Amino acid sequence: MNVLIIEDEIALSKELEVFLKKEGYVCELARTGKEASEKIYVNSYDFILLDLGLPDYDGLELLKEVFKATKEASVIILTARGTVDDKVKGLNMGADDYLAKPFSLLELQSRMHAIIRRKHGLKKSILPIKGFNIDIDNRTVAWKEEQVNLTKKEFDLLHYLVLHKNRVLTRLQLTEHIWGNLMDDDFDSNYIDVHIKNLRKKLSAYEESDWIETVRGLGYRANIG
Ligand code: CA
């Protein structure tokens, strides 16, 4: 999944980036509202972390723009302590959650996990799929008691396909959300095919993985029924 971090405090944005990368997210940073407003109309994100106190932009105005630009992203607003009004306004406008500074990174992580579960209608963090158990919080896959040895990106692919099960995801969508938003020229669709092939091969060592379908001319789908 990819995250846009809109935050003007350099130390904090760096800290968020390092932490989220370790958690398997692909991160982009925007230090100003202007930079952010350019990105949101061009790229697509799974999460947007939005600091309401930006130097050049009214945070709530930017939030409005975020919702105009994307319906897909989950938004967590970051506020300075004591700005209750903005927090409430932000939630009323449709933000998924908020964190008051200073917050712990583990709290951010658990809020993000909760949003993912809510968004995809999951009750637990372990998804049983076709004999496999996908643990979305701990980023592991098991077949019965045995851990399936996937690379980070293979896990991300599986996770993304399964969360959006029964929907066709294009190669470009998968690339953007798992490797990050690239320039058009850098996009090579074969790249995804190779990773899918490896993923299928690893899963097939335990159980059929033909439910990861290739949809000709379009992309891939986790056909779970
Ligand atoms: Ca700020």
Side-chain angles (χ1 to χ4, degrees):
M1 293 196 179
N2 63 356
V3 186
L4 176 63
I5 302 166
I6 308 170
E7 171 60 68
D8 63 312
E9 282 169 54
I10 292 175
L12 178 58
S13 72
K14 201 72 214 155
E15 194 187 354
L16 291 170
E17 184 188 19
V18 169
F19 176 75
L20 291 172
K21 272 190 178 161
K22 232 172 47 203
E23 293 293 308
Y25 294 93
V26 178
C27 300
E28 275 179 51
L29 304 180
R31 295 258 156 76
T32 62
K34 183 170 176 289
E35 217 180 298
S37 69
E38 284 163 3
K39 286 180 178 288
I40 53 175
Y41 286 106
V42 181
N43 299 329
S44 60
Y45 300 98
D46 296 295
F47 277 100
I48 294 177
L49 307 184
L50 169 60
D51 171 27
L52 288 183
L54 292 167
D56 63 332
Y57 236 82
D58 178 85
L60 292 174
E61 280 302 313
L62 185 57
L63 184 61
K64 222 184 273 170
E65 273 193 46
V66 165
F67 290 127
K68 224 192 289 169
T70 171
K71 301 265 179 295
E72 181 185 24
S74 300
V75 181
I76 300 178
I77 51 183
L78 311 177
T79 61
R81 217 201 314 233
T83 48
V84 179
D85 263 16
D86 280 357
K87 192 164 76 188
V88 171
K89 277 185 204 148
L91 289 175
N92 286 341
M93 282 165 67
D96 293 87
D97 211 338
Y98 72 90
L99 284 164
K101 295 177 190 177
F103 52 85
S104 88
L105 295 172
L106 290 176
E107 190 176 5
L108 172 66
Q109 179 197 46
S110 83
R111 302 281 182 100
M112 289 172 83
H113 286 162
I115 289 172
I116 294 170
R117 288 198 298 271
R118 205 155 66 216
K119 190 167 167 184
H120 297 281
L122 312 173
K123 291 207 176 65
K124 296 178 302 185
S125 71
I126 294 179
L127 292 174
I129 304 287
K130 303 275 182 184
F132 293 95
N133 280 321
I134 303 173
D135 184 332
I136 58 176
D137 288 0
N138 294 310
R139 298 174 47 78
T140 56
V141 179
W143 188 78
K144 299 195 171 155
E145 303 300 303
E146 209 175 324
Q147 290 294 314
V148 181
N149 193 11
L150 300 182
T151 65
K152 277 184 177 179
K153 291 300 181 196
E154 286 160 3
F155 177 86
D156 292 339
L157 253 181
L158 177 65
H159 178 216
Y160 210 76
L161 283 164
V162 164
L163 283 181
H164 300 90
K165 63 184 176 189
N166 305 324
R167 256 176 59 187
V168 180
L169 299 170
T170 65
R171 290 174 174 82
L172 180 61
Q173 279 176 316
L174 290 168
T175 307
E176 280 177 346
H177 288 274
I178 295 163
W179 279 269
N181 295 292
L182 305 162
M183 306 307 276
D184 289 344
D185 298 347
D186 293 338
F187 176 61
D188 175 3
S189 65
N190 291 326
Y191 194 60
I192 276 285
D193 299 341
V194 171
H195 281 83
I196 290 275
K197 200 173 132 206
N198 293 340
L199 174 63
R200 278 182 181 145
K201 201 168 142 195
K202 287 189 182 175
L203 295 180
S204 297
Y206 300 90
E207 186 80 69
E208 270 302 334
S209 65
D210 53 359
W211 49 275
I212 302 179
E213 282 183 349
T214 305
V215 182
R216 270 187 80 115
L218 289 173
Y220 293 97
R221 169 173 55 203
N223 189 353
I224 289 158

